[in-house]
Coordinates of all heavy atoms in Angstrom, one line a residue:
M1270 N 163.9 98.1 155.8 CA 165.1 97.4 155.3 C 164.8 96.9 153.8 O 163.7 96.5 153.5 CB 165.5 96.3 156.1 CG 166.6 95.4 155.7 SD 167.0 94.0 156.6 CE 167.6 94.7 158.1
D1271 N 165.9 97.0 153.0 CA 165.9 96.5 151.6 C 165.5 95.0 151.6 O 166.1 94.2 152.4 CB 167.1 96.8 150.9 CG 167.2 96.3 149.5 OD1 166.2 96.4 148.8 OD2 168.3 95.7 149.2
F1272 N 164.6 94.6 150.8 CA 164.2 93.2 150.8 C 165.4 92.2 150.4 O 165.5 91.2 151.1 CB 163.0 93.0 149.8 CG 162.6 91.6 149.7 CD1 161.8 91.0 150.7 CD2 162.8 90.8 148.6 CE1 161.3 89.7 150.7 CE2 162.3 89.5 148.6 CZ 161.6 88.9 149.6
H1273 N 166.2 92.6 149.5 CA 167.3 91.7 149.1 C 168.3 91.7 150.1 O 168.9 90.6 150.4 CB 167.9 92.2 147.7 CG 166.9 92.0 146.6 ND1 166.6 90.8 146.1 CD2 166.2 92.9 145.9 CE1 165.7 91.0 145.1 NE2 165.5 92.3 145.0
L1274 N 168.5 92.7 150.9 CA 169.5 92.7 152.0 C 168.9 91.8 153.1 O 169.6 91.1 153.7 CB 169.7 94.2 152.5 CG 170.6 94.3 153.7 CD1 172.0 93.8 153.4 CD2 170.6 95.8 154.1
W1275 N 167.6 91.9 153.3 CA 167.0 91.1 154.4 C 167.1 89.6 154.0 O 167.4 88.8 154.8 CB 165.5 91.5 154.5 CG 164.7 90.6 155.5 CD1 164.8 90.7 156.8 CD2 163.9 89.5 155.2 NE1 163.9 89.7 157.4 CE2 163.4 88.9 156.4 CE3 163.5 88.9 154.0 CZ2 162.6 87.8 156.4 CZ3 162.6 87.8 154.0 CH2 162.2 87.2 155.2
L1276 N 166.9 89.3 152.7 CA 167.1 87.9 152.3 C 168.5 87.4 152.5 O 168.7 86.2 152.9 CB 166.7 87.8 150.8 CG 165.2 87.8 150.4 CD1 165.1 87.7 148.9 CD2 164.5 86.6 151.0
E1277 N 169.4 88.2 152.1 CA 170.9 87.8 152.3 C 171.2 87.6 153.8 O 171.9 86.6 154.1 CB 171.8 88.9 151.7 CG 171.8 89.0 150.2 CD 172.6 90.1 149.7 OE1 173.3 90.8 150.4 OE2 172.5 90.4 148.5
Q1278 N 170.8 88.5 154.6 CA 171.0 88.4 156.0 C 170.3 87.2 156.6 O 170.9 86.4 157.5 CB 170.6 89.7 156.8 CG 171.5 90.8 156.4 CD 171.0 92.1 157.1 OE1 169.9 92.2 157.6 NE2 171.9 93.1 157.2
T1279 N 169.1 86.9 156.2 CA 168.3 85.8 156.6 C 169.1 84.4 156.2 O 169.2 83.5 157.0 CB 166.9 85.8 156.1 OG1 166.3 86.9 156.6 CG2 166.1 84.6 156.6
A1280 N 169.6 84.4 155.0 CA 170.3 83.2 154.5 C 171.6 83.0 155.4 O 171.9 81.8 155.7 CB 170.7 83.4 153.0
I1281 N 172.3 84.0 155.6 CA 173.5 83.9 156.5 C 173.2 83.4 157.8 O 173.8 82.5 158.3 CB 174.2 85.3 156.6 CG1 174.8 85.7 155.2 CG2 175.3 85.2 157.7 CD1 175.3 87.1 155.2
L1282 N 172.1 83.9 158.5 CA 171.7 83.5 159.8 C 171.3 82.0 159.7 O 171.6 81.2 160.6 CB 170.6 84.4 160.3 CG 170.9 85.7 160.7 CD1 169.6 86.6 161.0 CD2 171.8 85.8 161.8
L1283 N 170.7 81.6 158.7 CA 170.2 80.2 158.6 C 171.5 79.2 158.4 O 171.6 78.2 159.0 CB 169.3 80.0 157.4 CG 167.8 80.4 157.6 CD1 167.1 80.5 156.3 CD2 167.1 79.6 158.6
K1284 N 172.4 79.7 157.5 CA 173.6 78.9 157.3 C 174.4 78.7 158.6 O 175.0 77.7 158.9 CB 174.5 79.6 156.2 CG 173.9 79.4 154.8 CD 174.7 80.1 153.8 CE 174.1 80.1 152.5 NZ 174.8 80.9 151.5
E1285 N 174.4 79.9 159.4 CA 175.2 79.9 160.6 C 174.4 79.3 161.8 O 174.9 79.3 162.9 CB 175.7 81.2 161.0 CG 176.7 81.8 159.9 CD 177.1 83.3 160.2 OE1 176.5 83.9 161.1 OE2 177.9 83.8 159.5
R1286 N 173.2 78.8 161.5 CA 172.3 78.2 162.5 C 172.0 79.2 163.6 O 171.8 78.8 164.8 CB 172.9 76.9 163.1 CG 173.3 75.9 161.9 CD 172.4 74.7 162.1 NE 172.9 73.6 161.2 CZ 172.5 73.4 159.9 NH1 171.7 74.2 159.5 NH2 173.0 72.4 159.2
K1287 N 171.9 80.4 163.4 CA 171.6 81.4 164.4 C 170.1 81.6 164.4 O 169.6 82.8 164.1 CB 172.3 82.8 164.1 CG 173.9 82.6 164.3 CD 174.6 83.8 164.0 CE 176.1 83.7 164.3 NZ 176.9 84.9 164.0
L1288 N 169.4 80.7 164.7 CA 167.9 80.6 164.6 C 167.2 81.6 165.5 O 166.2 82.2 165.2 CB 167.4 79.3 164.8 CG 168.0 78.2 163.9 CD1 167.3 76.8 164.2 CD2 167.9 78.5 162.4
D1289 N 167.9 81.9 166.6 CA 167.3 82.8 167.6 C 167.3 84.3 167.1 O 166.7 85.2 167.6 CB 168.1 82.8 168.9 CG 169.5 83.0 168.8 OD1 170.1 82.6 167.8 OD2 170.1 83.7 169.7
Q1290 N 168.1 84.6 166.0 CA 168.3 85.9 165.5 C 167.4 86.1 164.3 O 167.3 87.2 163.7 CB 169.7 86.3 165.2 CG 170.6 86.2 166.3 CD 172.0 86.5 166.0 OE1 172.4 87.3 165.0 NE2 172.9 86.0 166.7
L1291 N 166.7 85.1 163.8 CA 165.8 85.2 162.6 C 164.6 86.0 162.8 O 164.0 86.1 163.9 CB 165.4 83.8 162.2 CG 166.5 82.9 161.5 CD1 166.0 81.5 161.3 CD2 167.0 83.5 160.2
D1292 N 164.2 86.7 161.8 CA 162.9 87.4 161.8 C 161.8 86.3 161.4 O 161.4 86.3 160.2 CB 162.9 88.6 160.9 CG 161.7 89.4 160.8 OD1 160.7 89.0 161.4 OD2 161.7 90.3 159.9
I1293 N 161.4 85.5 162.4 CA 160.6 84.4 162.0 C 159.2 84.8 161.4 O 158.8 84.2 160.4 CB 160.3 83.5 163.3 CG1 161.6 83.0 163.8 CG2 159.3 82.4 163.1 CD1 162.2 81.9 163.0
E1294 N 158.6 85.8 161.9 CA 157.3 86.2 161.4 C 157.3 86.6 159.9 O 156.5 86.1 159.1 CB 156.8 87.4 162.2 CG 155.4 87.9 161.9 CD 154.9 88.9 162.8 OE1 155.1 88.9 163.9 OE2 154.2 89.9 162.2
N1295 N 158.3 87.4 159.6 CA 158.4 87.8 158.2 C 159.0 86.7 157.3 O 158.5 86.5 156.2 CB 159.3 89.0 158.0 CG 158.6 90.3 158.4 OD1 157.5 90.4 158.1 ND2 159.3 91.1 159.2
L1296 N 159.8 85.8 157.8 CA 160.3 84.7 157.1 C 159.1 83.7 156.7 O 159.0 83.3 155.6 CB 161.4 83.9 157.9 CG 162.0 82.7 157.2 CD1 162.6 83.0 155.9 CD2 163.0 82.1 158.1
L1297 N 158.3 83.5 157.7 CA 157.1 82.6 157.5 C 156.2 83.3 156.4 O 155.7 82.5 155.6 CB 156.4 82.3 158.8 CG 157.0 81.4 159.7 CD1 156.3 81.3 161.1 CD2 157.1 80.0 159.2
E1298 N 156.0 84.5 156.6 CA 155.1 85.2 155.6 C 155.7 85.0 154.2 O 154.9 84.8 153.2 CB 155.1 86.7 156.0 CG 154.1 87.5 155.1 CD 154.1 88.9 155.6 OE1 154.0 89.2 156.8 OE2 154.2 89.8 154.7
E1299 N 157.0 85.2 154.0 CA 157.6 85.1 152.7 C 157.4 83.6 152.2 O 157.2 83.4 151.0 CB 159.0 85.5 152.7 CG 159.2 87.0 152.9 CD 158.5 87.8 151.7 OE1 158.6 87.4 150.6 OE2 157.9 88.8 152.1
I1300 N 157.7 82.7 153.0 CA 157.6 81.3 152.6 C 156.2 80.9 152.2 O 156.0 80.3 151.2 CB 158.0 80.3 153.8 CG1 159.6 80.5 154.0 CG2 157.7 78.9 153.5 CD1 160.2 79.8 155.2
E1301 N 155.2 81.4 152.9 CA 153.9 81.1 152.6 C 153.4 81.8 151.3 O 152.5 81.4 150.6 CB 152.9 81.5 153.8 CG 153.0 80.6 155.0 CD 152.3 81.2 156.2 OE1 152.0 82.4 156.3 OE2 152.2 80.4 157.2
A1302 N 154.0 83.0 151.0 CA 153.6 83.7 149.8 C 154.3 83.2 148.6 O 153.9 83.5 147.4 CB 154.0 85.1 150.0
I1303 N 155.3 82.3 148.6 CA 156.0 81.8 147.5 C 155.0 81.2 146.4 O 155.1 81.4 145.3 CB 157.1 80.9 147.9 CG1 158.2 81.7 148.5 CG2 157.7 80.1 146.6 CD1 159.3 80.8 149.1
S1304 N 154.2 80.3 146.9 CA 153.4 79.5 145.9 C 152.5 80.4 145.1 O 152.5 80.2 143.9 CB 152.6 78.4 146.8 OG 153.5 77.4 147.2
P1305 N 151.7 81.3 145.8 CA 150.8 82.1 144.9 C 151.6 82.9 144.0 O 151.2 83.1 142.9 CB 150.1 82.9 146.0 CG 150.1 82.1 147.2 CD 151.4 81.4 147.2
R1306 N 152.7 83.5 144.4 CA 153.5 84.4 143.6 C 154.1 83.6 142.4 O 154.0 84.1 141.3 CB 154.7 85.0 144.4 CG 155.1 86.3 143.9 CD 156.2 86.8 144.8 NE 156.1 86.5 146.2 CZ 157.0 86.6 147.1 NH1 158.3 86.9 146.7 NH2 156.9 86.3 148.3
E1307 N 154.6 82.4 142.6 CA 155.1 81.6 141.5 C 154.0 81.1 140.6 O 154.2 81.1 139.4 CB 155.8 80.4 142.1 CG 157.2 80.7 142.7 CD 157.9 79.6 143.3 OE1 157.3 78.5 143.5 OE2 159.1 79.7 143.5
K1308 N 152.8 80.8 141.2 CA 151.7 80.4 140.3 C 151.2 81.6 139.4 O 151.0 81.3 138.3 CB 150.5 80.0 141.3 CG 149.3 79.6 140.4 CD 148.1 79.4 141.3 CE 146.9 79.1 140.5 NZ 145.7 79.4 141.3
D1309 N 151.2 82.8 139.8 CA 150.8 83.9 139.1 C 151.8 84.2 138.0 O 151.5 84.5 136.8 CB 150.7 85.2 140.0 CG 149.5 85.2 140.9 OD1 148.6 84.3 140.6 OD2 149.4 85.9 141.9
T1310 N 153.1 84.1 138.3 CA 154.2 84.3 137.3 C 154.1 83.2 136.3 O 154.2 83.5 135.1 CB 155.5 84.2 138.1 OG1 155.6 85.3 139.0 CG2 156.7 84.4 137.0
L1311 N 153.9 82.0 136.6 CA 153.8 80.9 135.7 C 152.6 81.0 134.8 O 152.7 80.9 133.6 CB 153.7 79.5 136.5 CG 153.6 78.3 135.6 CD1 154.7 78.1 134.6 CD2 153.4 77.1 136.5
E1312 N 151.4 81.4 135.4 CA 150.3 81.6 134.6 C 150.5 82.7 133.6 O 150.1 82.6 132.4 CB 149.1 82.0 135.5 CG 147.8 82.1 134.8 CD 146.6 82.4 135.7 OE1 146.7 82.1 137.0 OE2 145.6 82.7 135.2
S1313 N 151.1 83.8 134.0 CA 151.4 84.9 133.1 C 152.3 84.6 131.9 O 152.0 84.8 130.8 CB 151.9 86.1 133.9 OG 152.3 87.1 133.0
N1314 N 153.3 83.8 132.3 CA 154.3 83.4 131.3 C 153.7 82.4 130.3 O 153.9 82.4 129.1 CB 155.5 82.7 131.9 CG 156.4 83.8 132.6 OD1 156.4 84.9 132.2 ND2 157.2 83.4 133.5
L1315 N 152.9 81.4 130.8 CA 152.1 80.5 129.9 C 151.2 81.1 129.0 O 151.1 80.8 127.9 CB 151.4 79.4 130.7 CG 152.4 78.4 131.4 CD1 151.5 77.5 132.3 CD2 153.1 77.5 130.3
T1316 N 150.5 82.2 129.5 CA 149.5 82.9 128.7 C 150.3 83.6 127.5 O 149.8 83.6 126.4 CB 148.8 83.9 129.5 OG1 148.1 83.3 130.6 CG2 147.9 84.8 128.7
R1317 N 151.4 84.1 127.8 CA 152.2 84.8 126.8 C 152.7 83.8 125.7 O 152.6 84.0 124.6 CB 153.4 85.5 127.4 CG 153.0 87.0 127.8 CD 154.3 87.7 128.1 NE 154.2 87.9 129.5 CZ 155.2 87.9 130.4 NH1 156.5 87.7 130.0 NH2 155.0 88.1 131.6
V1318 N 153.2 82.7 126.2 CA 153.7 81.6 125.3 C 152.6 81.1 124.4 O 152.7 81.0 123.2 CB 154.3 80.5 126.1 CG1 154.6 79.3 125.2 CG2 155.7 80.9 126.7
L1319 N 151.4 80.8 125.0 CA 150.3 80.4 124.2 C 149.8 81.4 123.2 O 149.4 81.0 122.1 CB 149.1 79.9 125.2 CG 149.4 78.7 126.0 CD1 148.2 78.5 127.0 CD2 149.6 77.5 125.1
H1320 N 149.8 82.6 123.6 CA 149.4 83.7 122.7 C 150.3 83.8 121.5 O 149.9 84.0 120.4 CB 149.4 85.0 123.5 CG 148.9 86.2 122.6 ND1 147.5 86.3 122.2 CD2 149.5 87.3 122.2 CE1 147.4 87.4 121.5 NE2 148.6 88.0 121.5
I1321 N 151.6 83.8 121.8 CA 152.6 83.8 120.7 C 152.5 82.6 119.8 O 152.5 82.7 118.6 CB 154.1 83.9 121.3 CG1 154.3 85.3 122.0 CG2 155.1 83.6 120.2 CD1 155.5 85.3 122.8
N1322 N 152.3 81.5 120.5 CA 152.1 80.2 119.6 C 150.9 80.2 118.8 O 150.9 79.8 117.6 CB 152.0 79.0 120.6 CG 152.1 77.6 119.8 OD1 152.9 77.5 118.9 ND2 151.3 76.7 120.2
Q1323 N 149.8 80.8 119.3 CA 148.5 81.0 118.5 C 148.8 81.9 117.3 O 148.3 81.5 116.2 CB 147.5 81.5 119.4 CG 146.2 81.6 118.8 CD 145.1 82.2 119.7 OE1 145.4 82.9 120.6 NE2 143.9 81.9 119.5
K1324 N 149.6 83.0 117.5 CA 149.9 83.8 116.4 C 150.6 83.1 115.3 O 150.4 83.2 114.1 CB 150.7 85.0 116.8 CG 149.8 86.1 117.6 CD 150.7 87.3 117.9 CE 149.8 88.4 118.5 NZ 150.6 89.6 118.8
K1325 N 151.6 82.3 115.7 CA 152.4 81.5 114.7 C 151.6 80.5 114.0 O 151.7 80.3 112.8 CB 153.6 80.8 115.5 CG 154.6 81.7 115.9 CD 155.8 81.0 116.6 CE 156.9 81.9 117.1 NZ 158.0 81.2 117.7
V1326 N 150.7 79.8 114.7 CA 149.8 78.9 114.0 C 148.9 79.6 113.0 O 148.7 79.1 111.9 CB 149.0 78.1 115.1 CG1 147.9 77.3 114.4 CG2 149.9 77.1 115.9
K1327 N 148.3 80.7 113.4 CA 147.5 81.5 112.4 C 148.3 81.9 111.2 O 147.8 81.9 110.1 CB 146.9 82.7 113.1 CG 145.7 82.3 114.1 CD 145.2 83.6 114.7 CE 144.0 83.2 115.6 NZ 143.4 84.4 116.3
G1328 N 149.5 82.3 111.5 CA 150.4 82.7 110.4 C 150.7 81.5 109.4 O 150.8 81.8 108.2
L1329 N 150.9 80.4 110.0 CA 151.1 79.2 109.1 C 149.9 78.8 108.3 O 149.9 78.5 107.1 CB 151.5 78.0 110.0 CG 152.9 78.0 110.6 CD1 153.0 76.9 111.6 CD2 153.9 78.0 109.6
R1330 N 148.8 79.0 108.8 CA 147.5 78.7 108.1 C 147.3 79.6 106.9 O 146.8 79.3 105.9 CB 146.3 78.8 109.0 CG 146.2 77.7 110.0 CD 144.9 77.8 110.8 NE 144.9 76.8 111.9 CZ 144.3 76.8 113.0 NH1 143.5 77.9 113.3 NH2 144.3 75.9 113.8
I1331 N 147.7 80.9 107.1 CA 147.4 81.9 106.1 C 148.4 81.6 104.9 O 148.0 81.7 103.7 CB 147.7 83.4 106.6 CG1 146.6 83.7 107.6 CG2 147.8 84.4 105.5 CD1 146.8 85.0 108.4
K1332 N 149.6 81.1 105.2 CA 150.6 81.0 104.2 C 150.3 79.6 103.4 O 150.7 79.5 102.3 CB 152.0 80.8 104.8 CG 152.5 82.1 105.4 CD 153.9 81.9 106.0 CE 154.3 83.2 106.7 NZ 155.6 83.0 107.4
T1333 N 149.6 78.7 103.9 CA 149.4 77.5 103.2 C 148.1 77.5 102.3 O 147.4 78.3 102.2 CB 149.1 76.3 104.2 OG1 148.0 76.6 105.0 CG2 150.4 76.0 105.0

């Protein structure tokens, strides 16, 4: 099943309180995986920002 479709269906089931129809095993797996995934994304984005900032600082030093 398509992941986004699964997410939409899971959200609907939660909103309708149809807890007996939830795919609990996969839902728990996704919830547990959120933190590491978000951490990796944040680390990657921060690395890019710091790299760009470093280039700008070096560029300012050369011009002065």
